[in-house]
Amino acid sequence: MSIGFLRQALKALQQQSRGRTSHRVNQWFKWLSPGLAIKRWLLISLGGVLLAILGLAISVRLTPIFWAMELVRGFLGVIAGILPHYISGPLVLLGGILLLLWGQTRTVGSITQVLRPGGDEDLIDVLMAHRRLYRGPKIVVIGGGTGLSTLLRGLKTYSANITAIVTVADDGGSSGRLRQEFGVLPPGDIRNCVAALADEEKLLTELFQYRFKAGDGLTGHSFGNLFLTAMTDITGDLEQAVAASSKVLAVRGQVLPATLSDVRLWAELEDGRRIEGESSIPKAGGKIVKIGCIPASPPALPAAIKAIKEADYIIVGPGSLYTSLIPNLLVPEIADAIAQSTAPRIYICNIMTQPGETQGYTVADHIKAIDAACGDRQLFDAVLVHKKSPSEQSLMRYAQQNSHPVFLDREDVTLLGRRIVLANVLYEDETGCVRHNPQKLARVLLRWYSGNHHGGKKNIPS
């Protein structure tokens, strides 16, 4: 009984040891992976060691080197006398390689403890992930609201070269109060995007979304909005505030306001009413026939235009059509830059209609509204539409709010010159709330990009 137990224990220890050994060997060989720029520096270091030895030998006229070589030759002669050369040679070679690997492993381990104390990942895995992400395509995402931050959570696993261009037309809630009291641009949508792109996303999102429940003047404000407002006051404008915050928070990519102008939205309704203010438009309860902003043609942020011109891929949406997406396109330079781009461009249509904005809208109606807002121009090549209907629970919940799934009118979309990308990208929480799934959405978008990018794939991480 005890002998059998000992055998099982020994077998388990052997398997565990083999597993650890194979893992270490795999980690060693990862350092020789292409693209890490490690092998070239190892060879240069080896060349430097050889040159240093040669220089030392020349400077001392070879005398110490001669005696050292004689000593080594004598030692090797003794070994060769005991063991045949075909055994002693490989053994010495293996010993040298093992010493080299042991020394390099301990060196890397010491560096890892300093750079990543308590980190679960090996340094080589971190380096490979970093290199892969920063070789990803340059992606520009345009929008606002929770839809944009949801998309960014998925995209950041494929590329670190992401630019989110965000609307600054928000005038409700905490952002609206800060806008009135401090004269700053509304930080709400930017706050969500910064949190979504941060490495420590979960903790940072909880911190940035935290709302004060007490305190004179603090009640209702989110910590993230106050943080960005303070940074704006320190740095001088919102662009510099977001850039500084991104460095502090280890943000993967960049978040840019569409404009630094104090933009205020207005909408004309079918019944003739004119509604001003982003937060007031959905509450008016009418059909929107025209939308604009004050000032009429706000100047774009130069960094946003530069990002669009250099983009490999441009994504519009998802988000509220009239209060999150179109406000960015009301900045003429942004619409012009997108229209002139030769990069693949796609629009992500919302899954559900939005009361007060897109009630009764089809996919084609969403596209027509975007085209009309920027001078009847075709700003994107394809539209991504969710394939399956939400669950009965979700449909009943949304029907109570007079919201329904956006109907795909294929013929009308085709007549508008857009390709249709159908995919299952839906996420439903336990309450029946419908959102885009960040990972599924990003996977579909990158797959479409790789198939439509001119010249084939461009650094699409697997």
Side-chain angles (χ1 to χ4, degrees):
M1 186 78 172
S2 60
I3 293 174
F5 176 76
L6 284 172
R7 282 178 178 170
Q8 288 180 353
L10 285 170
K11 188 176 180 181
L13 284 171
Q14 286 174 348
Q15 289 176 347
Q16 189 176 5
S17 176
R18 277 198 295 267
R20 279 199 294 260
T21 303
S22 64
H23 173 72
R24 284 174 185 158
V25 171
N26 287 335
Q27 295 301 95
W28 288 340
F29 277 107
K30 279 184 180 179
W31 287 99
L32 303 179
S33 300
L36 282 178
I38 298 293
K39 297 185 294 295
R40 70 190 71 169
W41 303 120
L42 284 174
L43 289 172
I44 288 174
S45 299
L46 182 60
V49 170
L50 293 175
L51 281 175
I53 292 173
L54 179 61
L56 179 63
I58 293 170
S59 63
V60 297
R61 298 184 179 180
L62 302 179
T63 305
I65 303 299
F66 171 77
W67 290 112
M69 290 177 68
E70 285 293 310
L71 182 62
V72 170
R73 187 170 67 175
F75 176 70
L76 293 177
V78 171
I79 292 178
I82 299 171
L83 293 172
H85 68 88
Y86 54 83
I87 295 178
S88 58
L91 281 176
V92 173
L93 178 62
L94 180 62
I97 292 173
L98 288 175
L99 281 174
L100 177 62
L101 289 175
W102 183 45
Q104 291 297 312
T105 302
R106 298 299 297 176
T107 301
V108 172
S110 299
I111 295 171
T112 304
Q113 285 180 357
V114 174
L115 296 179
R116 295 181 60 79
D120 295 330
E121 288 182 284
D122 288 330
L123 182 59
I124 180 59
D125 293 325
V126 175
L127 287 174
M128 290 181 73
H130 182 276
R131 182 59 63 105
R132 174 177 61 85
L133 289 171
Y134 281 88
R135 286 187 168 186
K138 295 178 180 177
I139 304 173
V140 170
V141 187
I142 299 165
T146 56
L148 182 57
S149 56
T150 298
L151 172 59
L152 294 176
R153 287 189 185 93
L155 286 179
K156 73 176 184 180
T157 62
Y158 290 90
S159 177
N161 300 314
I162 300 172
T163 299
I165 298 175
V166 187
T167 176
V168 287
D170 189 9
D171 63 358
S174 171
S175 291
R177 287 168 56 194
L178 291 170
R179 186 174 182 173
Q180 291 175 0
E181 293 171 17
F182 294 94
V184 296
L185 293 177
D189 288 347
I190 291 175
R191 173 201 77 213
N192 291 333
C193 293
V194 168
L197 287 173
D199 281 342
E200 298 294 334
E201 178 204 327
K202 188 176 185 301
L203 177 62
L204 194 64
T205 299
E206 290 178 4
L207 178 63
F208 266 35
Q209 299 288 31
Y210 175 81
R211 290 190 182 274
F212 293 92
K213 299 178 179 64
D216 292 338
L218 284 176
T219 306
H221 279 303
S222 71
F223 173 81
N225 284 356
L226 295 177
F227 178 82
L228 287 173
T229 300
M231 289 295 284
T232 300
D233 190 42
I234 292 168
T235 59
D237 62 52
L238 185 59
E239 180 189 7
Q240 297 299 322
V242 175
S245 303
S246 299
K247 289 180 181 177
V248 171
L249 303 171
V251 168
R252 197 178 296 171
Q254 62 176 342
V255 182
L256 301 173
T259 178
L260 293 179
S261 296
D262 186 13
V263 174
R264 185 172 175 81
L265 281 184
W266 58 262
E268 288 183 7
L269 307 185
E270 196 174 40
D271 57 13
R273 285 181 294 160
R274 179 186 168 103
I275 308 298
E276 290 194 5
E278 179 268 343
S279 59
S280 302
I281 292 171
K283 298 174 184 175
K287 184 177 180 181
I288 299 169
V289 293
K290 190 176 181 181
I291 192 160
C293 65
I294 303 169
S297 298
L301 189 73
I305 301 303
K306 182 175 182 288
I308 294 171
K309 289 181 177 178
E310 295 176 354
D312 298 317
Y313 190 15
I314 298 174
I315 302 170
V316 180
S320 300
L321 179 64
Y322 286 104
T323 54
S324 291
L325 304 188
I326 288 179
N328 293 291
L329 305 177
L330 294 176
V331 180
E333 292 169 278
I334 287 181
D336 291 344
I338 297 171
Q340 293 165 12
S341 174
T342 58
R345 300 163 298 174
I346 192 168
Y347 163 57
I348 304 169
C349 191
N350 291 337
I351 298 172
M352 308 295 292
T353 60
Q354 187 172 352
E357 286 199 41
T358 57
Q359 194 171 319
Y361 272 40
T362 64
V363 174
D365 291 331
H366 282 75
I367 296 171
K368 288 174 185 175
I370 294 173
D371 289 352
C374 45
D376 291 316
R377 287 180 294 179
Q378 185 170 316
L379 294 192
F380 49 89
D381 316 301
V383 56
L384 192 153
V385 183
H386 178 65
K387 187 187 292 185
K388 292 183 179 179
S389 178
S391 67
E392 289 294 327
Q393 178 192 3
S394 295
L395 292 174
M396 290 175 61
R397 170 185 169 164
Y398 278 87
Q400 293 173 356
Q401 304 168 12
N402 204 15
S403 176
H404 306 279
V406 177
F407 175 70
L408 173 58
D409 42 351
R410 291 174 177 272
E411 290 186 10
D412 291 341
V413 173
T414 304
L415 288 173
L416 290 170
R418 272 35 175 241
R419 283 172 283 170
I420 299 170
V421 180
L422 277 174
N424 293 318
V425 290
L426 176 124
Y427 166 75
E428 291 184 39
D429 64 19
E430 59 277 1
T431 65
C433 184
V434 171
R435 294 283 185 269
H436 284 95
N437 181 292
Q439 288 72 36
K440 289 181 180 178
L441 183 59
R443 197 179 307 122
V444 170
L445 288 169
L446 268 295
R447 192 183 303 133
W448 182 82
Y449 166 76
S450 65
N452 289 272
H453 177 69
H454 304 299
K457 280 191 176 185
K458 179 182 174 62
N459 300 323
I460 301 297
S462 56

